[in-house]
Amino acid sequence: MAGGAAPSDEAASRAALGAGVLCYLIWGFAPLFFQAMGRLGAESWEILAHRAVWGTLAAWVFVVLARQGAQVAAVLRSPRRLGMLALSALLIGANWALYVWGVNAGRVLESSLGYYLTPLLNMAAGALIFRERFDALGLGAIVLAGVGVALQGLALGHFPWMAVVLALTFGAYGIVRKQVQADAQTGLFVECLFLAIPGALWMAHLTLTGQGHMDDSPAAAAWLLAAGPITAIPLVLFAWAALRMPLSAMGFLQFIGPTIGFSIGLAQGEPFTALRGVSFAFIWAGAATYMFGLWRRTRNLSA
């Protein structure tokens, strides 16, 4: 049909774009949420426990809204899918714990570096694990990122292990989840269910020993309860948008989150030397090269 996309297609595209932008905005501003919880006295393990427990409830609401109860039951009866989701829960739990600790330890810049690296590490994993081939642009993006990580290590005085572990755990999480036959809402609910068991036990321990902060004040209770929606909503928005948007568009959007995190780290006065600036310049050059290559491949496929 001449004259461009139908109005319904345009509306669906705008809705998908809005969902994609919103999920990355939430992820970008997440350091402020977790820092607010930290200022109320909650340490990273307590915040993680609340993310898991209240995230399970939030994920169940999305399962009910999507009418995926039967799919949840099928997954719970499948040892293979349960095992894969247990592994993905372990990976995303480790990612959450390290991220919450990092942003409350004044390392927001290094945290943002990890999420700049994630798509580049995914590209490398695709070549190593799935034997995918990447062109000169892909190789150039990885080399630029590698130089950036090396310079970051020199600027920090140590290997940027937190950024690399964040990128590895989130990248590995994505690889495992791609192997599981379950929709986003179902997978998230089962993952949170695995994490909620130790989370609930830890919350009970903190309450019994008087170390918990849930009942300190209405503000503390509200922030810790909010950990559930903050965890579940962006993941569901991301899955919904990814099904309805071109890969190249999602590739561009995924850098919104770490860019906001980077800006927060700067605004909060984290050390940012000239060498650290050069290291980020290499990372950004790698990300730009990655995005250009992704856009070119998508354009060639649609030509």
Side-chain angles (χ1 to χ4, degrees):
M1 184 176 78
S8 59
D9 292 337
E10 292 178 359
S13 296
R14 286 196 298 269
L17 178 62
V21 170
L22 181 57
C23 84
Y24 283 112
L25 285 174
I26 295 172
W27 278 332
F29 287 106
L32 300 179
F33 299 138
F34 299 128
Q35 287 173 349
M37 297 174 198
R39 284 193 294 272
L40 291 168
E43 42 82 39
S44 58
W45 289 113
E46 183 177 5
I47 295 171
L48 177 62
H50 283 279
R51 289 191 77 175
V53 171
W54 309 126
T56 303
L57 295 180
W60 177 247
V61 171
F62 288 119
V63 166
V64 172
L65 292 176
R67 298 180 179 179
Q68 292 178 358
Q71 187 180 122
V72 170
V75 169
L76 294 177
R77 291 193 299 267
S78 171
R80 182 183 181 279
R81 285 191 282 181
L82 272 179
M84 295 291 284
L85 286 171
L87 176 58
S88 64
L90 180 63
L91 289 166
I92 198 63
N95 183 274
W96 290 348
L98 182 58
Y99 181 76
V100 170
W101 173 82
V103 299
N104 278 314
R107 300 173 73 169
V108 179
L109 287 177
E110 193 173 346
S111 300
S112 71
L113 173 64
Y115 293 108
Y116 278 121
L117 290 174
T118 298
L120 304 175
L121 283 180
N122 284 344
M123 186 189 302
L128 294 173
I129 299 173
F130 302 110
R131 301 195 180 278
E132 297 173 359
R133 299 184 63 182
F134 46 76
D135 55 16
L137 283 174
L139 180 60
I142 292 173
V143 170
L144 287 167
V147 173
V149 169
L151 291 174
Q152 184 80 187
L154 290 174
L156 292 172
H158 60 81
F159 183 74
W161 63 269
M162 191 181 78
V164 173
V165 172
L166 283 173
L168 287 173
T169 51
F170 196 71
Y173 168 76
I175 292 170
V176 173
R177 281 294 277 118
K178 285 183 68 173
Q179 316 304 310
V180 183
Q181 292 183 339
D183 289 332
Q185 296 93 325
T186 295
L188 175 63
F189 171 71
V190 176
E191 288 166 345
C192 285
L193 199 59
F194 277 117
L195 296 172
I197 297 170
L201 292 173
W202 185 247
M203 285 168 60
H205 164 73
L206 292 176
T207 300
L208 292 172
T209 58
Q211 300 177 67
H213 296 83
M214 186 72 173
D215 57 356
D216 282 358
S217 67
W223 275 113
L224 291 172
L225 284 170
I230 290 169
T231 296
I233 289 173
L235 285 169
V236 172
L237 287 171
F238 170 81
W240 190 86
L243 290 173
R244 293 163 176 82
M245 287 182 65
L247 184 61
S248 58
M250 289 302 293
F252 279 95
L253 291 182
Q254 69 186 325
F255 293 104
I256 293 175
T259 300
I260 294 174
F262 176 85
S263 302
I264 290 172
L266 281 185
Q268 293 179 342
E270 290 190 22
F272 192 73
T273 63
L275 183 56
R276 202 167 191 188
V278 172
S279 76
F280 268 99
F282 273 96
I283 296 294
W284 290 328
T289 303
Y290 163 84
M291 289 190 292
F292 176 73
L294 186 61
W295 170 78
R296 194 175 68 172
R297 287 195 301 275
T298 305
R299 188 186 64 172
N300 290 339
L301 285 173
S302 61

